[in-house]
């Protein structure tokens, strides 16, 4: 880069009007009065002619070499040619046809002097900007960037401290910031810039940019429309995103809603020029760097040019306030918000109250969690965010098994959707690969796969196959099981039976509850004794006989139980002895949640006749599957097609494959084991001080905390469990309750859950339990 005197170090020009009048007359052929306009390092005058015309006379800082002045002049011509509707000044040549003249000042320095068209309009205060004006500010910044896209000039490697890409050069200036807390804040922002932005910036798309899209340089007319862009003095070759960062930092400083307003401006910008992912992810850091420049350069200049102090400090308090509000909101929260806004997908922001009412009217039977339902607009990892960017720690959802909005799953879905989304009656690799991948994780006897859309559908299909294969008609499920929503699976879901409802073809067995049930963990053979209930249940089915026993191996709806491995083995043995099949429903417990294997039944060493996969399978994209022994399929008549339109479509399969990849590549089974046991130990410690915790159980990242009113009688503390969940929700932590008495706190977070997040949950649970004792 060419070594140049930084114009900030060079005093601004101070030519007298009397000296400029003859220049105006002799070189530009104009007579008129000169009215001084503000300028940071140039001298600007409005020229008013007697016949009412206006021009701008610009005396550049001598630090701006000839080639810099030439660059500015040719850039204006370039912009005019590319987008004539952009309101930029036109350069007016001298009477001799030169683009400018050079004048020697009384100080002996050489000053370039130019005449330009004058743009009428006024500057506006940040606080006066309407939403529309902010949006159009973003748009015009993007339009100017587009107009400059093909522009080149050798002087574009111009170096100026305001240039965001040089933010690290601000460090020495921080010695002029005397408030230690402020200086520390600026250092934090620069450290962040150094770590996050500096390594990536050289790879971002770059071009010549305006670089100073501030409120001083953008003029508005009386209808609040932008009618002028002036001052190309900071133009340089720089990452394109810096132009938007400067606009956000300098235009919105001073507004109490600066962060929200930034999203509006970003929305305007990306409606013209979409930002690339890396640009979007860095935007907040670039904004902060520009705010640091404002504060640091001001501190430095105040001492250096006291005469100019009034001008140079004007934006500084507002910049400080903007930095404060970014830090108060959380720098990463702001970063994500900006990144989200870059997607140009403004999420819906109906007022929560009216949304609730509209929902109740339009979807009267759709249940909602919580007394004050949580309104969510996005998620990331183990975090969920409401429209105000308040974050919630997700300790509940197993669907986003690899973390909310995991980029690999998102990319796989988007890319496949772009290529092909059709039904599975055509040849396509994805469904075959998915079936093969699932089979490879299962006992070899489970050699056939059917891909469907939901856990209910898979369980429903399993029921049809079981009835056809066994030619029997009865089912056994646990006493508070849930297996689905369809007619057939509702019958298999006592959790959802209405009062008095009991389908005649379904019998129940008690879940293997070793805490409060008939047999306790302390007793030898307790699990097998529970399994023996299968015989009683089959007896109750009478002549229907047993087609299938359905089991969620972690008994999630029943209250979360992990019985000894002998339990499932014994259930399988007895079911088969009655001629029935065993269906392992892995919809809740599968996909690595147990921390021991991909499928929770594997611990017990059984080989189920069918295995059902659902919820987490697509990390939120609807996809489910059934693995089955192929000889059972033979019982379904040939002429009956086992096909579902969306089942196994390429997009769903792409999601399911990406989920399997991420679980493997990120070691999530291992993480579930490690963080799960850490959390379980923490919960057990809480139980030592809080008598309301009767039992802590589960494995991996599926944990239950059973609350009781009395540890001796084990009376379920149903009301208190509900209150704890509500209180945690108020504190930004989401979990659920389960079990027939709804007194078991259900902890089932995404498998990317971290130790610190476990700590956050434990700390809050502890405080909530302590407060409820008072
Ligand atoms: N089986 C189990 C164990 C479940 O938890 C659920 C859903 N909660 C289902 C089946 C039904 O799955 P879906 O809601 O996708 O139909």
């Amino acid at each position: 880069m060419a070594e140049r005197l930084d114009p900030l170090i060079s005093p601004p020009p101070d030519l007298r009007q009397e000296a400029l009048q003859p220049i105006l007359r002799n070189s530009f052929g104009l007579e008129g009065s000169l009215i001084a306009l503000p300028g940071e390092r140039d001298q600007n005058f409005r020229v008013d002619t007697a016949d009412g015309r206006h021009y701008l006379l610009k005396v550049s800082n001598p630090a701006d070499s000839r080639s810099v002045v030439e660059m500015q002049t040719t850039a204006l011509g370039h912009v005019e040619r590319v987008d004539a509707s952009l309101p930029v000044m036109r350069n007016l040549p001298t009477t001799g046809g030169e683009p400018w003249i050079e004048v020697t000042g009384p100080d002996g320095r050489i000053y370039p002097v130019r005449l330009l068209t004058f743009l009428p309009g006024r500057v506006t205060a940040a606080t006066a900007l309407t939403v529309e004006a902010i949006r159009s500010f973003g748009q015009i910044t993007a339009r100017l960037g587009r107009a400059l896209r093909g522009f080149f000039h050798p002087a574009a490697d111009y170096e100026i401290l305001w240039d965001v890409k040089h933010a690290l050069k601000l460090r020495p200036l921080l010695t002029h910031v005397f408030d230690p807390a402020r200086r520390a804040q600026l250092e934090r922002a620069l450290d962040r810039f150094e770590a996050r932005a500096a390594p990536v910036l050289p790879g971002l798309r770059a071009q010549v940019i305006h670089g100073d899209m501030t409120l001083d340089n953008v003029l508005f007319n009386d209808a609040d429309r932008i009618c002028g862009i002036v001052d190309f003095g900071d133009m340089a070759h720089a990452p394109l995103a810096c132009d938007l960062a400067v606009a956000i930092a300098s235009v919105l400083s001073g507004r109490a809603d600066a962060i929200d307003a930034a999203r509006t401006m970003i929305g305007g910008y990306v409606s013209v020029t979409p930002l690339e992912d890396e640009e979007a992810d860095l935007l907040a850091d670039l904004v902060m760097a520009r705010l640091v420049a404002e504060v640091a350069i001001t501190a430095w200049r105040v001492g250096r040019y006291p005469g100019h102090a009034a001008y140079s400090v004007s934006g500084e308090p507002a910049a400080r306030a903007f930095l404060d509000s970014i830090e108060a909101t959380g720098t990463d929260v702001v970063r994500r918000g900006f990144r989200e806004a870059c997607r140009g997908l403004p999420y819906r922001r109906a007022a929560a109250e009216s949304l609730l009412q509209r929902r109740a009217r339009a979807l009267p039977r759709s249940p909602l969690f919580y007394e004050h339902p949580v309104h969510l607009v996005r998620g990331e990892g183990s975090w969920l965010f409401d429209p105000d960017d308040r974050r919630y720690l997700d300790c509940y959802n197993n669907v986003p098994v690899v973390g909310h909005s995991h980029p690999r799953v998102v990319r796989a879905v988007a890319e496949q959707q772009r290529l092909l989304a059709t039904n599975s009656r055509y040849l396509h690799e994805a469904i075959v690969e998915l079936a093969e991948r699932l089979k490879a994780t299962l006992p070899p006897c489970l050699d056939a796969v059917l891909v469907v859309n939901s856990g209910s559908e898979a369980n429903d299909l399993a029921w049809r196959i079981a009835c056809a294969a066994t030619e029997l008609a009865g089912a056994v499920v646990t006493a508070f099981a849930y297996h689905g929503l369809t007619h057939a699976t509702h019958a298999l879901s006592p959790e959802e039976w209405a009062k008095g409802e009991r389908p005649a073809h379904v019998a129940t067995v008690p879940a293997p509850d070793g805490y409060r049930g008939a047999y306790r963990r302390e007793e030898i053979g307790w699990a097998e004794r529970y399994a023996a209930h299968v015989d009683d249940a089959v007896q109750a089915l009478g002549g229907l006989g047993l087609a299938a026993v359905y089991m969620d191996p972690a008994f999630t709806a029943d209250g979360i139980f992990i019985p000894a491995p002998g339990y499932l083995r014994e259930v399988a043995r007895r079911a088969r002895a009655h001629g029935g099949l065993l269906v392992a429903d892995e919809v809740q417990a599968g996909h690595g949640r147990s921390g021991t294997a991909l499928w929770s039944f594997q611990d017990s060493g059984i080989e189920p006749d069918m295995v059902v996969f659902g919820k987490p399978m697509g990390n939120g994209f609807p996809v489910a599957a059934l693995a089955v022994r192929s000889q059972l399929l033979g019982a379904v008549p040939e002429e009956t097609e086992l096909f579902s339109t969306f089942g196994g479509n390429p997009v769903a399969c792409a999601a399911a494959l990406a989920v399997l990849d991420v679980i493997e590549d990120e070691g999530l089974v291992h993480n579930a084991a490690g963080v799960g046991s850490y959390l379980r130990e923490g919960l057990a410690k809480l139980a030592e001080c809080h008598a309301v915790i009767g039992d802590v159980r589960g494995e991996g990242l599926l944990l239950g905390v059973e609350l009781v009113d009395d540890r001796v009688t084990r009376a379920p503390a149903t009301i208190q469990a509900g209150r704890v969940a509500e209180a945690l929700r108020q504190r930004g932590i989401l979990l659920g309750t389960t079990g027939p008495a709804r007194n078991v706190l259900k902890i089932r977070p995404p498998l990317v859950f971290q130790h610190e997040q476990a700590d956050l949950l434990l700390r809050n649970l502890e405080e909530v339990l302590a407060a409820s004792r008072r």
Side-chain angles (χ1 to χ4, degrees):
M1 178 180 289
E3 273 297 316
R4 286 206 191 104
L5 188 58
D6 190 317
L8 290 178
I9 304 172
S10 167
D14 196 13
L15 295 195
R16 305 191 153 274
Q17 298 205 7
E18 306 84 80
L20 289 168
Q21 286 288 1
I23 293 167
L24 187 63
R25 187 179 320 119
N26 300 334
S27 301
F28 295 102
L30 270 187
E31 289 284 353
S33 52
L34 294 175
I35 292 123
L37 301 174
E40 184 194 28
R41 61 175 202 272
D42 294 344
Q43 243 185 323
N44 293 310
F45 296 92
R46 194 177 81 201
V47 180
D48 291 352
T49 63
D51 58 1
R53 284 172 295 143
H54 304 295
Y55 298 92
L56 184 86
L57 190 70
K58 189 175 206 37
V59 183
S60 296
N61 193 307
D64 291 339
S65 66
R66 273 189 197 115
S67 62
V68 168
V69 175
E70 184 195 67
M71 171 173 71
Q72 294 173 7
T73 310
T74 50
L76 289 178
H78 186 94
V79 169
E80 185 185 349
R81 277 197 302 284
V82 176
D83 184 351
S85 66
L86 273 173
V88 298
M89 295 180 293
R90 315 280 191 248
N91 201 67
L92 300 169
T94 65
T95 45
E98 299 299 326
W100 71 87
I101 60 152
E102 289 175 357
V103 176
T104 308
D107 54 1
R109 298 197 298 172
I110 297 194
Y111 294 94
V113 179
R114 275 175 289 169
L115 187 71
L116 300 133
T117 53
F118 182 79
L119 297 174
R122 56 177 166 75
V123 294
T124 299
T127 45
L129 289 173
T130 60
V131 169
E132 291 71 34
I134 293 169
R135 189 174 160 82
S136 58
F137 206 107
Q139 283 172 327
I140 206 144
T141 305
R143 282 179 59 201
L144 185 59
R146 288 182 95 83
L148 284 169
R149 199 157 55 168
F151 176 72
F152 174 75
H153 193 281
D157 66 348
Y158 184 65
E159 186 171 337
I160 176 169
L161 271 176
W162 286 109
D163 188 335
V164 174
K165 71 174 184 289
H166 295 312
L168 293 180
K169 295 190 176 160
L170 296 167
R171 281 215 200 265
L173 269 54
L174 299 190
T175 51
H176 299 271
V177 177
F178 300 122
D179 173 3
R182 181 64 59 191
R183 196 164 59 237
Q185 180 187 50
L186 303 184
E187 271 161 8
R188 272 197 301 280
L190 290 184
D191 289 347
R192 209 181 137 92
F193 184 93
E194 187 161 10
R196 285 182 44 81
V200 183
L201 274 180
L204 296 189
R205 63 181 156 163
Q207 60 168 72
V208 176
I209 63 169
H210 181 280
D212 200 21
M213 290 293 284
T214 65
L215 280 180
D216 286 328
N217 295 336
V218 174
L219 308 173
F220 287 80
N221 65 18
D222 290 338
D224 266 342
R225 294 261 159 75
I226 293 171
C227 62
I229 304 171
V230 299
D231 193 352
F232 284 64
D234 284 5
M235 206 168 41
H237 191 271
L240 180 64
C242 292
D243 236 3
L244 176 58
V246 168
I248 293 170
S250 38
V251 172
L252 303 175
S253 285
R255 292 179 67 102
D257 66 346
I259 294 170
D260 264 354
R263 295 214 191 117
T264 306
M265 189 184 286
I266 294 167
Y269 190 96
V270 299
S271 71
V272 177
T273 301
L275 287 191
E276 295 173 358
D277 289 349
E278 288 104 334
E279 294 170 330
D281 196 46
L282 280 191
L283 192 54
D285 294 296
L286 302 180
V287 170
M288 288 175 77
R290 175 67 177 206
L291 294 169
V292 172
E294 183 78 48
V295 180
I297 293 175
T298 300
W300 171 66
R301 295 198 87 194
V302 164
R304 200 169 180 106
Y305 309 116
H308 282 252
Y311 178 75
S312 51
V313 296
S314 60
E316 196 266 354
R320 276 188 276 138
F322 198 171
L323 268 178
D324 289 345
S325 74
I326 290 176
E327 284 207 330
T329 308
T331 310
D332 279 315
V333 172
V334 174
R335 172 178 65 83
R336 283 191 295 265
F338 285 10
R339 194 179 62 191
E340 203 65 31
C342 286
R343 291 191 196 161
L345 304 169
Y347 29 76
R348 293 160 186 262
R349 294 197 58 154
E353 193 58 32
S354 81
L355 189 61
L356 199 60
Q357 289 157 354
R358 279 168 50 207
R359 179 175 162 127
R361 272 197 304 275
L363 301 126
R365 292 296 300 264
S366 286
L368 278 167
F369 289 135
Y370 300 113
E371 209 171 303
H372 300 291
V374 185
H375 179 183
L376 297 174
V377 291
R378 65 190 179 89
E380 189 178 315
S382 299
W383 294 102
L384 289 162
F385 296 84
D386 77 4
D388 298 320
D389 233 15
R390 176 170 186 210
R391 65 180 190 169
Y392 294 86
L393 182 64
D394 187 355
C395 305
Y396 181 74
N397 287 290
N398 69 329
V399 169
V401 62
V402 297
H404 290 278
S405 311
H406 194 290
R408 277 178 75 181
V409 184
V410 170
R411 206 177 316 121
V413 167
E415 282 174 3
Q416 186 55 52
Q417 181 82 50
R418 214 178 283 140
L419 276 176
L420 179 73
T422 185
N423 73 65
S424 61
R425 282 202 189 96
Y426 302 99
L427 271 179
H428 193 273
E429 284 82 357
I431 188 170
V432 180
E433 192 184 333
L434 177 61
E436 288 171 350
R437 289 275 293 274
L438 287 175
K439 277 175 59 173
T441 66
L442 294 165
C445 59
L446 290 161
D447 56 345
V449 173
L450 296 155
V451 190
V452 290
N453 308 287
S454 69
S456 302
E457 198 181 337
N459 275 327
D460 192 302
L461 199 51
W463 179 240
R464 271 175 72 189
I465 294 167
C467 293
T470 60
E471 295 181 348
L472 298 169
V476 169
V477 295
T478 50
F480 205 65
Y482 183 80
H483 295 289
L485 165 90
T486 63
H487 190 69
T489 55
H490 171 76
L492 303 173
S493 303
E495 183 190 17
E496 294 298 330
W497 289 347
K499 269 197 207 79
E501 182 179 355
R502 174 170 281 276
H505 69 288
V506 181
T508 60
V509 289
D513 177 350
Y515 173 67
R516 71 164 58 253
Y519 320 111
R520 304 286 168 92
R521 285 194 296 251
E522 305 75 43
E523 302 165 24
I524 292 171
W526 68 279
E528 287 77 5
R529 292 176 75 186
Y530 270 116
H533 281 265
V534 168
D535 291 347
D536 307 335
V538 174
Q539 191 126 43
L541 291 173
L544 294 171
L546 178 69
V549 176
Y550 274 70
M551 275 195 184
D552 162 0
F555 304 90
T556 324
D558 284 287
I560 305 176
F561 305 108
I562 312 293
Y567 176 76
L568 273 189
R569 280 203 293 271
E570 192 54 20
V571 168
R573 190 186 67 74
R574 288 176 191 264
R576 285 177 186 140
H578 292 288
L581 305 175
L582 179 69
V583 179
D585 181 341
E586 291 282 346
V587 169
Q588 296 234 25
H591 276 88
R593 181 156 299 279
S594 64
T596 52
L598 211 44
W599 315 119
S600 63
F601 74 81
Q602 285 173 299
D603 274 358
S604 56
I606 58 160
E607 295 188 344
D609 300 289
M610 290 186 254
V611 180
V612 168
F613 314 100
K615 289 162 87 154
M617 193 172 170
N619 210 50
F621 197 94
V623 52
L626 174 68
V628 50
R629 297 172 192 265
S630 56
Q631 90 250 23
L632 299 176
L633 279 181
V636 178
E638 279 288 336
E639 60 275 23
T640 301
E641 205 177 44
L642 295 175
F643 169 79
S644 144
T645 301
F646 296 130
N649 76 75
V651 186
C653 293
L657 286 167
V659 167
L660 291 174
D661 285 342
V662 176
I663 291 176
E664 195 172 318
D665 294 351
E666 294 187 9
L668 294 185
V669 180
H670 183 68
N671 191 64
V675 179
S677 63
Y678 175 78
L679 179 54
R680 210 187 131 149
E681 280 164 28
L683 293 167
K685 274 216 188 73
L686 282 190
E688 289 169 15
C689 326
H690 297 276
V692 70
I693 300 182
D695 193 28
V696 173
R697 54 182 181 251
E699 65 175 359
L701 282 171
L702 179 59
L703 299 174
V705 180
E706 176 149 6
L707 302 191
V708 291
D709 283 334
D710 178 329
R711 277 192 174 173
V712 178
T713 64
R714 303 188 178 183
T718 304
I719 293 171
Q720 186 157 4
R723 282 198 192 129
V724 168
E726 290 285 348
L728 285 171
R729 173 247 183 273
Q730 293 304 333
R731 291 164 165 259
I733 300 216
L734 306 183
L735 47 64
T737 55
T738 187
R742 295 246 161 260
N743 66 322
V744 181
L745 301 178
K746 176 171 167 185
I747 301 172
R748 186 191 53 173
L751 300 190
V752 291
F753 209 65
Q754 299 294 302
H755 287 91
E756 309 82 71
Q757 295 167 340
D759 286 335
L760 192 63
L761 167 61
L762 289 167
R763 200 163 56 243
N764 278 279
L765 182 57
E766 156 108 82
E767 285 167 11
V768 164
L769 292 176
S772 69
R773 266 208 307 225
R774 276 184 224 124

